[in-house]
Amino acid sequence: AASAAGARSTVAFPVVPTVITSGLAAPRHIGLGSDGRLYVALAGSGGTSCVNASPQGSYCFGLTGSIDFLKTDGVVTTVLSGMPSVIDTTEPGPPDYLGPAAVYFGNGVLNIVSNNDDLNPDGTNALGPDAADLGQLVTAVPSSSSWDWKAGPNFGLYAAQHPQASTSLGSGPASQEPPTDSDPYDLTPYDSGYAVVDAAANAVLWVSPT
């Protein structure tokens, strides 16, 4: 409600949060699937295959990312495992965990976008062939093997082919991403396809049904 002076007044309501589960491996976005289940993308705990080691840190890769669904009683069930995951220790402060970032379940399949890191100028990453699914839209049937997953489109490749303008990079030290940087961060159903947020390319993209 607004006060007589036109200033907004607020009413404080008690908030009592309830923890339904804990111990998840770097949980990222959650979302309701078309089946009514609550899904969560887990970026994972990285791995022991490290590249770009330097005094400042390294990128350590593994297949510890996953997609889980949560029940209201706190029971967690993994529906897709063995997804790419990276520990990034190249920046000061705590390490950053990168991997599955968002998921939507619809038409019987999981649709997943994953963070990307250590990109080459052509949009590929330098983490090896097992990390090729990072930065792509991955479609998979629950409980399926990675051999049966479908990957594409490749957002890193798109960013390399459509580099962002220098005016979108900002002026602060933390804003100086390369023009071809890409980091798919979230997705949602939109216009029969998907809208995808690319946090490093500073773009919202539409993936068509084809």
Side-chain angles (χ1 to χ4, degrees), residues 50 73-74 83 106 113 119 138 150 167 182 187:
C50 299
D73 59 3
M83 302 201 73
V113 291
L119 266 63
V138 172
K150 296 180 180 179
T167 53
S182 176
L187 87 165

Side-chain angles (χ1 to χ4, degrees), residues 23-200:
L24 300 176
R28 296 299 184 246
H29 288 102
I30 59 175
L32 284 173
S34 60
D35 57 355
R37 287 177 170 178
L38 182 64
Y39 289 87
V40 57
L42 303 182
S45 55
T48 57
S49 178
C50 299
V51 298
N52 286 5
S54 68
Q56 290 75 34
S58 60
Y59 303 96
C60 293
F61 172 80
L63 297 175
T64 57
S66 67
I67 303 297
D68 293 17
F69 80 82
L70 309 178
K71 295 183 178 180
T72 55
D73 59 3
V75 174
V76 180
T77 301
T78 298
V79 293
L80 204 66
S81 60
M83 302 201 73
S85 175
V86 182
I87 305 176
D88 181 354
T89 61
T90 59
E91 300 292 337
D96 194 11
Y97 293 88
L98 308 172
V103 57
Y104 177 76
F105 179 81
N107 297 320
V109 295
L110 298 159
N111 300 273
I112 306 149
V113 291
S114 297
N115 306 124
N116 211 350
D117 211 343
D118 196 21
L119 266 63
N120 299 313
D122 65 355
T124 61
N125 65 55
L127 300 171
D130 286 340
D133 286 345
L134 293 174
Q136 300 200 58
L137 176 63
V138 172
T139 303
V141 174
S143 303
S144 61
S145 164
S146 60
W147 295 106
D148 298 318
W149 302 348
K150 296 180 180 179
N154 187 317
F155 300 106
L157 177 62
Y158 184 87
Q161 294 174 343
H162 304 82
Q164 58 184 303
S166 59
T167 53
S168 74
L169 294 175
S171 58
S175 302
Q176 297 304 305
E177 296 96 344
T180 58
D181 204 4
S182 176
D183 182 20
Y185 186 68
D186 201 2
L187 87 165
T188 190
Y190 175 74
D191 197 12
S192 300
Y194 290 95
V196 175
V197 173
D198 192 322

